[in-house]
Amino acid sequence: LRVSLLRRLRAPFPAGGDGTCAHRGVDGRFCSCATGPDGGHHAIVCPLGGGVMRRHNAVRDALAAWLREMKLPALCEQAVPRWHREADQAILDIVYRDARVGEVCVDVSVVDSAHPTAPRTAPMALQRREANKHRRYPGPGLVPFVVDARGRWGREACAWVQSVTASLPDDARQAAVRQCRIRIGRVLQLAIADQLLEAVRPRQANAGVVPAANATPAVPAAQTAPPAQAHAAAHSQGEA
């Protein structure tokens, strides 16, 4: 709670630390990037440590659970052949069938645009990510569920949740939308706080471990993970 609150207040170092990222890769090497007073931005988008993937999966799972409560049989990490490319399979986060519109494919993505070093165009980050999703998965049936790390939702995510609950009575619809927002907000902020804390936790001495700053730059998780994991990593990178 303290870390999340400090982020909301735009503290330069919301989790404390010395401004050096302590995330570790699978090979045991530390990131060691000098983050500066960036409000936690580097820790949120850092590809080492698995935090990006855990955050993405937490949002996906919360959203799928909510859909099932809405009586929609949501399946996670489904291949959609019509969007396959020769070197890139289309693995969508959530797929379900709606009696009104047919197959619906939801793809979750998180951006971090409201930080001290963000460019002037940062407020358009949600729209840019939605547009990128539609370029990758053209045609009907796609819902880009894009959220900002500080909690703001993209327009398409807002419209889709309203569509899912449209058949409910007003009171029930408002309660369902509120419950969805609460769940997504909770898992998102918990995952982000964990990323920030992991980035500043004291490093344990390990023989043979060399900081990444003195070694070959780490390969982002999206380039080395299996297809489903690569999908989570690639589609959850924050806007730098």
Side-chain angles (χ1 to χ4, degrees), residues 19-186:
T20 302
C21 180
H23 284 157
R24 297 180 65 176
V26 294
D27 60 356
R29 297 180 185 273
F30 293 109
C31 171
S32 297
C33 284
T35 61
D38 66 353
H41 174 66
H42 173 82
I44 292 171
V45 302
C46 180
L48 299 184
V52 169
M53 190 177 300
R54 289 193 298 271
R55 181 188 67 213
H56 169 275
N57 292 349
V59 174
R60 177 203 65 198
D61 293 345
L63 198 57
W66 178 80
L67 279 171
R68 294 179 189 121
E69 291 181 7
M70 296 294 104
K71 310 303 181 185
L72 293 170
L75 301 175
C76 294
E77 298 298 329
Q78 298 297 297
V80 183
R82 70 176 181 273
W83 285 325
H84 282 349
R85 292 175 175 173
E86 184 175 346
D88 180 20
Q89 288 192 341
I91 309 294
L92 278 296
D93 290 313
I94 300 172
V95 177
Y96 68 94
R97 182 160 292 278
D98 188 306
R100 299 168 299 170
V101 298
E103 185 178 68
V104 178
C105 304
V106 182
D107 209 37
V108 172
S109 189
V110 179
V111 300
D112 183 37
S113 59
H115 57 89
T117 59
R120 289 185 177 182
T121 56
M124 301 297 293
L126 292 166
Q127 294 94 315
R128 281 199 299 270
R129 186 62 59 85
E130 289 173 343
N132 288 341
K133 293 291 185 183
H134 283 294
R135 279 193 289 270
R136 173 59 185 90
Y137 308 114
L142 175 70
V143 176
F145 192 89
V146 185
V147 296
D148 189 90
R150 292 184 184 272
R152 184 184 173 196
W153 287 22
R155 292 178 182 176
E156 294 194 51
C158 294
W160 170 72
V161 169
Q162 293 293 337
S163 174
V164 169
T165 59
S167 62
L168 299 175
D170 284 348
D171 289 347
R173 177 176 55 79
Q174 293 176 15
V177 172
R178 183 167 57 250
Q179 187 61 226
C180 182
R181 283 188 170 274
I182 289 172
R183 291 186 185 183
I184 298 302
R186 180 187 297 127

Side-chain angles (χ1 to χ4, degrees), residues 179-200:
Q179 187 61 226
C180 182
R181 283 188 170 274
I182 289 172
R183 291 186 185 183
I184 298 302
R186 180 187 297 127
V187 299
L188 177 62
Q189 297 309 318
L190 284 173
I192 288 173
D194 185 62
Q195 286 180 275
L196 294 172
L197 291 169
E198 287 287 346
V200 301

